[in-house]
Amino acid sequence: MIIKVLLTIVFLAVMIGVGIYTRKQASSVDGFVLGGRAVGPWLSAFAFGTSYFSAVVFVGYAGQFGWKYGLASSWIGIGNAVIGSLLAWLLLGRRTKLMTQHIESRTMPDFFGTRFQSQGLRVVASVIAFVFLIPYTAGVYSGISKLFDMGFHIPYEYCIILMGIFTAVYVILGGYKATAMNDFIQGIVMLFGIVSVIVVVLNAQGGLVEAFNKMKEAVPTAHDLESPLYANFQPGDFASWFGPNAMSLLGVVVLTSLGTMGLPQMVGKFYSITDESAIRRGTIISTLFAFVVAGGCYFLGGFGRLFGEPAWNEARHSYKFDDIIPTMLDQAVSSDLLIGLVMVLVLSASMSTLASLVLTSSSTMTLDLIYRDKKSVAGEVEDGAIDDIVAEKIERRKVVIMRVLIIFFIAISVLIALNPPTFIAQLMGISWGALAGAFLAPFMLGLYWKGVTTASVWACFVWGVGITVVNMLLGNPVNPIDCGAIAMLGGFPVVILVSLFTPRMASKDVEQIFECYRK
């Protein structure tokens, strides 16, 4: 216990120390939200990766999908690396950096408002982000409860409150630069932790070959057979290339991979990176990070059936999937040092994602709802002119408001996590589906195609949020993961078709916006 406590204390002390070290760079809005748009490739790549993979992936998704698809769940991690990281950086990295800097955009809702010349789009986008990021933030906490109970035997409530406090402190002190530097440290911990855990778990089953042979003999349980997922199950499917249901697996790959390109907290990493050469290096680093962390998590989860059947939740009529990874670790890991490393791994994964989410939420609310006009503030500026003193005053006020809102958002997410509704796990998938369903297509196409119209963006907002919310209200007749994938992919034809039949923006304005790519 001493080893585990000391590792955790050292980890938390380093996080706070980084916040103190970077506090001077967080005095302006650009410094607080974007790190002065001068964050290097290593910090940006690790910030992208650690925001992507939270404890939800390590504990919840890896266990759940590993149980459902066996070793084929590794494709989810590969998809996360190739589509969610490599393709995201290639398609969005350079163009996002150049256009957002050119139009002076600091958030995704700000991009929609400025790129498509609509304050209404900015406001609605910020509301969508707020509504669906808060429950997502609360859901991050659920991934740590079982592991902390196993490792420290302390109540879950104390753990999430302390994690919320420490995250708030370093984000409030140092803003995005503190978050990025801590993400780098947390990313290193995640890399070592994942590799170490995989080695230990496989050794507990007699090595990789023996564990693989055992998975070839695994069959669905009585509870499994109630699901149509295993209607065409064949012996050896849990050790096959595509598992017992390839189409269902594909839906998970799409949701968890393509979604990153439409999530505000992920795309925001491209706003802050230093330059184009840093983007090229960041692409490689981020992809390799995702291969190890995401690929490792789902590969590990694929062996979950070798450690016993998880408890059955009669009320939800499903397994308690969050128990699978903790059970694996409890049975396979005997070293206190490694258990301590796992605790720090889970803290790293959770705090990095939490920091990114609350910083995104607070900046969106401040810049896109409270201070929508970037050039003036009513009653303080005459004739639209703004002097340096007033500008500095406004900048300081914005930073103060964002810091207050960070406390507010963390408090709300902690309260939800302390009293989680029965649908919080499903709401994680719904959050990704609604956010990326609404934002992905208009954001990506808006970077490449001059013909995207304001009306098409409105249509996609309605499409993405509408289809996921209606599905939820109807009791999820379509699996939330499959619904989220439909929302994301369906957004592209929605934007294209509506753009073909609605008035375009003024050609002069569009040319001015796209001028950044010709420099």
Side-chain angles (χ1 to χ4, degrees):
M1 181 60 72
I2 293 175
I3 292 174
K4 290 180 280 190
V5 170
L6 282 177
L7 279 174
T8 306
I9 290 174
V10 170
F11 171 77
L12 294 174
V14 170
M15 299 300 101
I16 300 300
V18 169
I20 295 172
Y21 174 74
T22 56
R23 69 188 187 280
K24 291 182 179 179
Q25 301 177 43
S27 57
S28 66
V29 172
D30 267 0
F32 192 81
V33 178
L34 302 174
R37 296 187 189 264
V39 181
W42 282 91
L43 295 186
S44 294
F46 272 65
F48 187 92
T50 54
S51 297
Y52 192 172
F53 309 115
S54 69
V56 175
V57 172
F58 180 66
V59 178
Y61 284 1
Q64 176 179 343
F65 299 131
W67 180 268
K68 288 183 175 180
Y69 306 110
L71 297 183
S73 64
S74 301
W75 284 111
I76 306 173
I78 295 171
N80 291 172
V82 175
I83 302 173
S85 294
L86 177 61
L87 198 61
W89 279 74
L90 290 176
L91 291 178
L92 301 183
R94 174 181 176 272
R95 297 186 81 88
T96 299
K97 165 69 178 178
L98 294 178
M99 183 175 285
T100 57
Q101 190 166 359
H102 178 62
I103 64 177
E104 298 181 1
S105 169
R106 292 163 169 169
T107 66
M108 183 177 274
D110 187 19
F111 171 86
F112 288 124
T114 306
R115 164 68 177 85
F116 300 105
Q117 299 180 345
S118 171
Q119 288 296 318
L121 282 177
R122 177 183 294 172
V123 172
V124 172
S126 65
V127 172
I128 293 172
F130 171 77
V131 169
F132 289 98
L133 282 179
I134 288 296
Y136 180 30
T137 305
V140 171
Y141 290 107
S142 66
I144 66 173
S145 58
K146 296 291 183 181
L147 286 178
F148 265 80
D149 180 56
M150 178 194 75
F152 290 110
H153 305 294
I154 61 174
Y156 163 59
E157 293 81 4
Y158 295 150
C159 175
I160 63 172
I161 290 172
L162 286 174
M163 192 177 78
I165 291 172
F166 276 99
T167 305
V169 169
Y170 81 72
V171 177
I172 288 171
L173 283 174
Y176 181 75
K177 194 63 176 287
T179 301
M181 290 184 68
N182 276 330
D183 285 348
F184 181 74
I185 298 168
Q186 292 159 352
I188 301 250
V189 172
M190 291 169 69
L191 289 172
F192 279 104
I194 290 293
V195 173
S196 301
V197 168
I198 290 174
V199 170
V200 170
V201 168
L202 290 179
N203 283 340
Q205 292 294 330
L208 175 60
V209 175
E210 183 64 24
F212 179 78
N213 289 332
K214 290 179 181 179
M215 284 301 299
K216 289 171 66 175
E217 300 173 1
V219 294
T221 65
H223 287 304
D224 285 334
L225 293 175
E226 298 176 15
S227 169
L229 189 70
Y230 305 103
N232 300 310
F233 184 85
Q234 298 294 322
D237 272 357
F238 286 124
S240 65
W241 278 99
F242 300 110
N245 194 312
M247 290 306 297
S248 177
L249 176 62
L250 180 61
V252 179
V253 173
V254 172
L255 177 76
T256 60
S257 302
L258 195 61
T260 60
M261 303 188 207
L263 298 178
Q265 75 274 17
M266 303 299 297
V267 174
K269 304 300 185 288
F270 302 131
Y271 287 45
S272 57
I273 197 164
T274 310
D275 51 39
E276 293 185 50
S277 63
I279 292 173
R280 288 191 291 271
R281 285 175 286 165
T283 302
I284 299 171
I285 298 166
S286 178
T287 304
L288 293 176
F289 181 89
F291 264 116
V292 175
V293 174
C297 282
Y298 289 108
F299 178 70
L300 174 68
F303 293 97
R305 288 180 179 268
L306 303 184
F307 293 84
E309 186 176 350
W312 180 258
N313 187 326
E314 196 62 47
R316 298 186 188 181
H317 206 65
S318 68
Y319 281 117
K320 294 182 178 179
F321 292 114
D322 290 350
D323 291 350
I324 294 175
I325 296 297
T327 299
M328 294 174 69
L329 297 176
D330 192 35
Q331 294 182 24
V333 181
S334 58
S335 165
D336 286 337
L337 181 61
L338 186 54
I339 288 292
L341 180 61
V342 172
M343 297 301 103
V344 176
L345 159 66
V346 176
L347 265 180
S348 299
S350 298
M351 291 178 71
S352 57
T353 303
L354 179 60
S356 178
L357 290 169
V358 297
L359 187 58
T360 300
S361 298
S362 66
S363 60
T364 293
M365 288 290 287
T366 302
L367 301 177
D368 301 315
L369 284 180
I370 299 173
Y371 283 100
R372 280 181 287 167
D373 190 340
K374 294 184 286 187
K375 296 182 179 179
S376 64
V377 175
E380 295 186 21
V381 183
E382 297 179 359
D383 301 323
I386 185 167
D387 59 39
D388 292 340
I389 296 176
V390 173
E392 186 177 344
K393 177 182 176 182
I394 295 171
E395 286 283 292
R396 286 200 305 267
R397 186 181 300 175
K398 289 178 182 178
V399 173
V400 169
I401 291 173
M402 280 188 279
R403 284 176 165 144
V404 171
L405 285 174
I406 284 171
I407 298 173
F408 172 70
F409 290 134
I410 287 182
I412 291 179
S413 60
V414 166
L415 289 174
I416 296 175
L418 289 173
N419 301 281
T422 55
F423 56 83
I424 190 67
Q426 291 180 329
L427 202 56
M428 292 288 293
I430 291 170
S431 296
W432 273 56
L435 286 167
F439 295 158
L440 171 59
F443 183 83
M444 181 182 293
L445 292 175
L447 294 173
Y448 282 89
W449 184 28
K450 298 177 182 179
V452 179
T453 65
T454 304
S456 72
V457 182
W458 281 113
C460 199
F461 284 5
V462 173
W463 159 262
V465 174
I467 191 173
T468 50
V469 171
V470 168
N471 187 58
M472 180 181 68
L473 294 177
L474 293 177
N476 295 312
V478 179
N479 183 290
I481 293 173
D482 295 335
C483 184
I486 293 169
M488 294 176 199
L489 294 174
F492 287 94
V494 167
V495 172
I496 293 170
L497 289 173
V498 174
S499 293
L500 293 176
F501 296 100
T502 53
R504 294 195 173 194
M505 294 173 56
S507 177
K508 179 182 177 182
D509 295 336
V510 175
E511 291 299 327
Q512 195 279 327
I513 291 172
F514 275 78
E515 190 179 87
C516 59
Y517 299 139
R518 293 193 292 268
K519 292 182 179 180

